[in-house]
Amino acid sequence: MTFLEPSVWDGKIYTDRWTTGSAGTVDVVEPATGTVLGTAGMASGEDVFAAATRAAKAQRQWAATKPEERAAVLRRAGQVFEDHVQELNTWIQRETGAIAPKAAMETHVAANECFDSAGLPHHPAGEVLTSDADHWSFARRVPAGVVGVISPFNFPLILSIRSVAPALALGNAVILKPDPRTPVSGGVMIMRAFEEAGLPAGVLQLLTGGTDAGAALSEAPEVRVVSFTGSTAAGRKVGEACGRNLKRAHLELGGNNALVVLPGADVAAAASAGAFGSFMHQGQVCMTSGRHLVHESLKDEYVAALREKAEHLPVGDPTGEVALGPIIDERQRDNVDRIVRGAKDAGASIEAGGTFENLFYAPTVLTDLTPENPAWAEEIFGPVAPVMSFSTVEEAAELINASEYALSLGILGDVGQAMRLTDLVDAGKVHINEQTVADESNAPMGGMKASGNGARFGGYTANIEAFTEVQWLTMRPEIAPYPF
């Protein structure tokens, strides 16, 4: 039997065991070929409410488990990802349309998320406070309780495990709702890993579902934190529901990220970085380089180099020797094409690409843009590189900050000028002499403005803040005297 043996999970959700959901099933479809790889169980809102009640009961016992035992579960889960890496990579390629290096990155980061999280149970859990009263005074971190995790289709394993692992390590129970388009990479892999690692039943539950299941996570009173990664539009709804129900929402949302090429930059190296930033995983990354801001002295040379890259990057079945695989589905492909067509109608020039066959969209380069052009103003989530020029660092900053998004920024060229620009812009992260797509398990991840409500993932500080509450605790040697 293989690790992801379909007979274990096919057509099922996971509560305290693999069982059928009340909302039927959904086909797991390979976007490159249309092949049905299996079926996943679908949970209803009622299933989520029942899971939240179950999780609240399991969480108390899990939180009382010795730190070394929780740490051991996390280490074993990380080892499971490493032990089954080839099988997992193949599934990620076929289910998400990822080329081999992208799939390998997901499993590598997933293992590291577990290994890093294994340190959290032994991390200092509070501080001793000074006090003018005759008692000892402490502030201690306690588990938030039940955490809901809602993850998207593009990097489903990473964007699920980065919340699941630290939340579990800190003594919480977790309900995981992956995108129905990627229920195996975003859910089954994680559930199976923690099953193998010996996590007690009910502490982690897998409920693939639609919008009703996601809404239930925001409504269920036992769920105290919702960790959401996805579109800004959906994130606004999650944040609104969580605010109404007085629970925390950690939102990592969309991005229309700028890649700035400063005067004097190495154009060949910059075009290579720009092509990777825009075309990696077909541009289906929240951190994709969605706007190329190139100094006017380099624009023509940069466009020519980027066009050359785009025209020679092979596109096809990601299990073969290609650079780009398919868009996840027809709806997403059609939205990409809508923006490209709209950009052309608004006066943009298509320097390369702009065509598709089935779900394979050609790497596309656009020029002659204005800030109002849809390809410049909107998040495309496809392999499209819009290019515009600037004359001064101050003008570049204005163009960057004009966007409603503020997730990631890449700056290529002179470090001194890059430092000046960094101080003028809004961005959740800035990468100097790197493109905009980067992720490390120990680094804080999040955006500003419409890209989210700050760094809520990654590293001890962000994870502890995200998945615990602060409790004030005082202690006296005997009952205090009172004047009543």
Side-chain angles (χ1 to χ4, degrees):
M1 178 182 291
T2 62
F3 177 66
L4 292 178
E5 172 61 40
S7 63
V8 173
W9 57 267
D10 194 77
K12 299 172 184 174
I13 62 174
Y14 189 97
T15 54
D16 52 2
R17 67 192 187 283
W18 291 103
T19 185
T20 56
S22 62
T25 61
V26 63
D27 287 341
V28 182
V29 178
E30 181 178 24
T33 65
T35 300
V36 176
L37 304 174
T39 61
M42 289 285 281
S44 65
E46 289 74 18
D47 289 329
V48 172
F49 282 114
T53 300
R54 188 182 303 111
K57 294 178 180 179
Q59 186 269 328
R60 291 287 184 184
Q61 187 172 354
W62 174 242
T65 302
K66 291 180 179 179
E68 67 178 3
E69 294 178 17
R70 278 187 275 132
V73 169
L74 270 295
R75 287 195 299 272
R76 289 195 296 267
Q79 191 60 51
V80 168
F81 285 115
E82 293 196 335
D83 290 345
H84 299 280
V85 65
Q86 288 305 121
E87 182 183 359
L88 300 180
N89 285 352
T90 298
W91 259 102
I92 292 170
Q93 284 190 265
R94 298 193 67 188
E95 185 183 32
T96 74
I99 61 173
K102 185 265 188 184
M105 179 178 70
E106 287 221 54
T107 50
H108 175 72
V109 171
N112 279 345
E113 289 284 358
C114 293
F115 294 142
D116 285 355
S117 294
L120 287 169
H122 286 107
H123 198 276
E127 55 188 339
V128 179
L129 307 176
T130 60
S131 177
D132 290 324
D134 294 327
H135 60 214
W136 290 349
S137 181
F138 308 89
R140 68 170 183 167
R141 289 281 181 173
V142 297
V146 180
V147 174
V149 177
I150 303 174
S151 59
F153 69 84
N154 55 332
F155 276 74
L157 178 55
I158 290 177
L159 299 181
S160 296
I161 196 69
R162 70 175 181 182
S163 293
V164 170
L168 291 174
L170 289 164
N172 300 283
V174 175
I175 300 172
L176 171 60
K177 193 203 85 64
D179 191 298
R181 289 170 287 188
T182 52
V184 178
S185 301
V188 174
M189 290 181 183
I190 295 170
M191 194 68 250
R192 289 286 295 118
F194 280 99
E195 267 194 300
E196 291 287 310
L199 184 71
V203 177
L204 173 63
Q205 299 176 71
L206 171 63
L207 284 83
T208 302
T211 55
D212 60 331
L217 281 176
S218 300
E219 299 292 338
E222 299 90 346
V223 177
R224 300 310 308 150
V225 173
V226 175
S227 179
F228 174 87
T229 305
S231 72
T232 296
R236 290 184 193 279
K237 294 178 181 178
V238 171
E240 179 182 1
C242 288
R244 175 166 39 82
N245 288 292
L246 302 180
K247 62 182 70 177
R248 284 187 285 160
H250 303 320
L251 308 173
E252 202 261 283
L253 308 177
N256 190 8
N257 313 288
L259 181 67
V260 181
V261 182
L262 296 170
D266 182 325
V267 172
S272 176
F276 185 91
S278 283
F279 305 143
M280 196 274 283
H281 196 49
Q282 300 77 261
Q284 298 174 121
V285 190
C286 59
M287 297 175 283
T288 288
S289 301
R291 295 179 293 159
H292 296 237
L293 269 170
V294 184
H295 190 262
E296 58 191 7
S297 64
L298 302 177
K299 183 193 172 187
D300 291 345
E301 186 181 355
Y302 180 84
V303 169
L306 189 61
R307 180 174 58 237
E308 177 74 11
K309 296 282 186 185
E311 291 174 343
H312 291 89
L313 287 171
V315 181
D317 189 324
T319 60
E321 296 296 322
V322 299
L324 283 76
I327 301 295
I328 191 67
D329 60 19
E330 289 184 358
R331 185 179 68 174
Q332 182 60 32
R333 179 206 63 197
D334 290 347
N335 187 60
V336 173
D337 198 55
R338 173 191 65 82
I339 295 174
V340 172
R341 297 301 124 210
K344 184 179 180 182
D345 292 343
S349 299
I350 300 177
E351 301 286 343
T355 61
F356 65 85
E357 182 177 351
N358 297 322
L359 296 181
F360 301 101
Y361 208 96
T364 299
V365 178
L366 303 176
T367 58
D368 299 324
L369 298 154
T370 64
E372 297 74 30
N373 191 290
W376 190 263
E378 297 183 38
E379 181 184 31
I380 302 173
F381 228 65
V384 182
V387 183
M388 188 184 295
S389 64
F390 70 93
S391 58
T392 66
V393 165
E394 290 73 20
E395 182 188 3
E398 290 180 8
L399 288 167
I400 293 166
N401 290 336
S403 173
E404 65 173 329
Y405 299 103
L407 182 58
S408 187
L409 172 66
I411 309 174
L412 308 177
D414 178 72
V415 173
Q417 292 187 69
M419 292 172 66
R420 285 179 53 212
L421 180 58
T422 299
D423 287 340
L424 298 175
V425 297
D426 301 318
K429 44 195 164 291
V430 179
H431 303 292
I432 295 175
N433 283 322
E434 296 182 304
Q435 45 75 45
T436 55
V437 182
D439 191 15
E440 296 180 22
S441 59
N442 66 332
M445 170 76 177
M448 302 175 182
K449 298 165 65 174
S451 291
N453 56 356
R456 298 293 188 269
F457 315 93
Y460 288 157
T461 300
N463 285 331
I464 291 171
E465 178 68 26
F467 301 119
T468 65
E469 300 284 4
V470 178
Q471 182 185 71
W472 184 34
L473 174 66
T474 65
M475 187 184 307
R476 294 176 61 99
E478 56 191 28
I479 297 174
Y482 295 97
F484 288 3

